[in-house]
């Protein structure tokens, strides 16, 4: 635990030093931790911000909130993003400049702030998807599949952005709370654009199956079967997907869907809804929508 806190402190200070060298960026969210750094270094992050700000009603509203509060809220369905404006305090505590507190108290304050960081990239991409996908179906099982598919598309973009950053930087941004994925070396391995896109398809498929509560071992086997021409990369995609936080998969995600079913129907429902096949191996619709989603990002 202390080692994790020491890493959190070191990475926060490192990212602050890197960001301090950068000029203010267009579309910055004031006091969102390391927003300038990500807008400067990540083209995908910039595209997400630009696409998001083009939506009707898009607005970033600074609201101090913990991660559990944010994860349980129905605000995900609104075009307005609420984020914790804590960057200055976060960096100040990481530097341990408060001489009136003991180290243990300072460590506790740093961890508490870390638990209030908002991942605005993930939040923006959810809002984009509500406009991108057809309306949600009404039946509970169909709605569950719809929402899990949407989540899998957003998580695929978390992976793509972390790959763009590379694991060295992605890990630091993940530790401080503004990235959800640790990244991989795939972008440095000489894959063609099509081959990397196929990998993202496989990662999205595996994530969807995980959210549908299939066993991880079966997901790895299934991905090899679904993508026989890229067996090694399909397995890598599956193994990466099944590292998704277990508590989120088995508890948080399902509770959110049940808690907000009424407002989900009201906000996302409509004529000609997207009804995904009950058979998880029939992924034709998912593939087509994922392909269009990746087109949006020019991946």
């Amino acid at each position: 635990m202390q080692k994790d806190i020491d890493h959190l402190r070191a990475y926060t200070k490192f990212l602050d030093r890197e960001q301090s060298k950068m000029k203010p960026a267009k579309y910055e969210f004031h006091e969102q931790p390391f927003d300038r750094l990500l807008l400067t270094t990540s083209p995908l992050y910039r595209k997400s911000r630009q696409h998001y700000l083009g939506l009707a009603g898009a607005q970033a509203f600074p609201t101090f909130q913990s991660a559990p509060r944010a994860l349980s809220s129905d605000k995900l369905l609104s075009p307005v993003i609420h984020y914790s404006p804590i960057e200055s305090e976060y960096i100040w505590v990481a530097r341990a400049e408060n001489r009136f507190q003991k180290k243990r108290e300072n460590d506790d304050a740093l961890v508490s702030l870390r638990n209030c960081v908002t991942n605005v990239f993930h939040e923006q991409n959810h809002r984009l998807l509500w406009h991108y996908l057809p309306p949600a179906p009404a039946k509970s099982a169909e709605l569950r599949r719809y929402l899990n598919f949407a989540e899998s598309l957003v998580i695929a973009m978390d992976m793509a952005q972390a790959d763009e950053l590379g694991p060295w930087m992605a890990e630091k941004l993940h530790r401080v709370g503004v990235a959800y994925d640790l990244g991989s070396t795939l972008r440095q391995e000489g894959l063609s654009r099509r081959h990397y896109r196929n990998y993202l398809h496989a990662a999205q498929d595996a994530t969807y199956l995980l959210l549908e509560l299939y066993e991880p071992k079966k997901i790895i086997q299934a991905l090899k079967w679904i993508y026989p021409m890229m067996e090694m990369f399909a397995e890598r995609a599956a193994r990466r997907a099944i590292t998704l936080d277990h508590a989120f998969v088995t508890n948080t995600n399902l509770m959110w869907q049940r808690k907000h079913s009424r407002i989900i129907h009201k906000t996302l429902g409509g004529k000609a809804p997207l009804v995904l096949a009950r058979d998880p191996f029939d992924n034709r619709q998912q593939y087509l929508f994922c392909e269009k989603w990746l087109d949006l990002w020019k991946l």
Side-chain angles (χ1 to χ4, degrees):
M1 179 64 179
Q2 186 59 50
K3 187 176 180 181
D4 291 337
I5 295 172
D6 292 342
H7 278 133
L8 174 59
R9 185 182 306 282
Y11 290 161
T12 304
K13 291 163 70 175
F14 168 80
L15 293 170
D16 175 48
R17 288 194 300 271
E18 291 299 301
Q19 183 169 258
S20 67
K21 303 171 187 175
M22 300 170 181
K23 297 178 181 178
K26 194 175 182 181
Y27 310 126
E28 268 187 55
F29 289 172
H30 182 63
E31 283 291 303
Q32 164 64 15
F34 308 114
D35 198 49
R36 179 181 302 176
L37 185 148
L38 280 162
L39 284 168
T40 302
T41 60
S42 170
L44 287 174
Y45 195 87
R46 286 197 301 276
K47 285 179 186 175
S48 175
R49 182 65 50 82
Q50 291 164 355
H51 288 316
Y52 166 69
L53 292 175
L55 298 178
Q59 180 186 2
F61 195 80
T63 309
F64 186 80
Q65 58 185 354
S66 66
R69 178 185 170 200
L71 287 170
S72 64
S73 170
D74 64 2
K75 289 184 173 64
L76 186 66
L77 301 166
S78 163
V80 177
I81 289 176
H82 295 257
Y83 71 95
S84 293
I86 60 173
E87 183 179 65
S88 296
E89 183 74 7
Y90 200 14
I91 293 166
W92 183 76
V93 171
R95 288 174 175 165
E97 291 183 345
N98 183 357
R99 306 305 180 189
F100 297 97
Q101 284 185 325
K102 297 178 181 178
K103 185 178 185 304
R104 176 60 185 273
E105 293 172 330
N106 191 272
D107 286 349
D108 290 345
L110 184 63
V111 172
S112 294
L113 286 168
R114 164 62 177 82
N115 291 333
C116 295
V117 175
T118 307
N119 185 325
V120 296
F121 181 74
H122 189 90
E123 295 285 321
Q124 289 166 177
N125 294 341
H126 264 297
R127 272 70 174 186
L128 291 172
L129 267 178
W130 303 147
H131 289 261
Y132 163 80
L133 290 175
K139 294 181 180 179
S140 59
E142 294 173 351
L143 179 60
R144 184 201 71 236
R145 291 195 290 272
Y146 176 94
L147 293 171
N148 286 340
F149 175 52
E151 188 69 34
S152 72
L153 288 171
V154 174
I155 290 171
M157 284 309 305
D158 291 334
M159 295 179 185
Q161 193 225 4
D163 288 348
E164 177 186 74
L165 292 163
W168 187 80
M169 182 61 82
E171 182 194 357
K172 293 170 175 58
L173 292 162
H174 173 73
R175 288 267 193 172
V176 304
V178 294
Y180 278 152
D181 192 88
L182 291 167
S184 76
T185 59
L186 281 160
R187 296 288 287 267
Q188 290 80 48
E189 291 179 29
L191 296 181
S192 68
R193 180 183 175 189
R194 181 67 258 179
H195 203 159
Y196 181 65
R197 180 179 280 217
N198 289 344
Y199 170 87
L200 291 176
H201 273 289
Q204 177 274 308
D205 266 336
T207 304
Y208 174 69
L209 292 173
L210 186 70
L211 294 170
E212 284 287 294
L213 303 181
Y214 283 85
E215 293 180 16
K217 287 183 180 179
K218 292 184 178 179
I219 293 172
I220 294 170
Q221 294 170 354
L223 264 287
K224 291 180 181 180
W225 182 84
I226 295 171
Y227 297 92
M229 301 301 290
M230 51 176 290
E231 183 174 327
M232 181 183 72
F233 287 101
E235 180 174 348
R236 285 176 66 177
R239 291 191 181 279
R240 186 177 186 179
I242 63 178
T243 63
L244 188 61
D245 183 68
H246 182 72
F248 173 79
V249 173
T250 60
N251 187 17
T252 306
N253 183 51
L254 297 175
M255 284 183 62
W256 185 87
Q257 292 180 11
R258 287 193 292 266
K259 180 180 179 181
H260 301 301
S261 58
R262 281 189 183 178
I263 191 170
I264 291 170
H265 285 301
K266 182 178 179 181
T267 307
L268 302 180
K271 296 180 180 179
L274 174 60
V275 179
L276 300 175
R278 293 175 63 185
D279 180 358
F281 295 108
D282 183 0
N283 68 340
R284 288 172 293 180
Q285 289 190 92
Q286 292 98 305
Y287 183 90
L288 291 173
F289 280 106
C290 184
E291 189 75 354
K292 292 178 182 177
W293 177 240
L294 297 175
D295 280 343
L296 178 68
W297 302 96
K298 295 181 171 51
L299 284 167

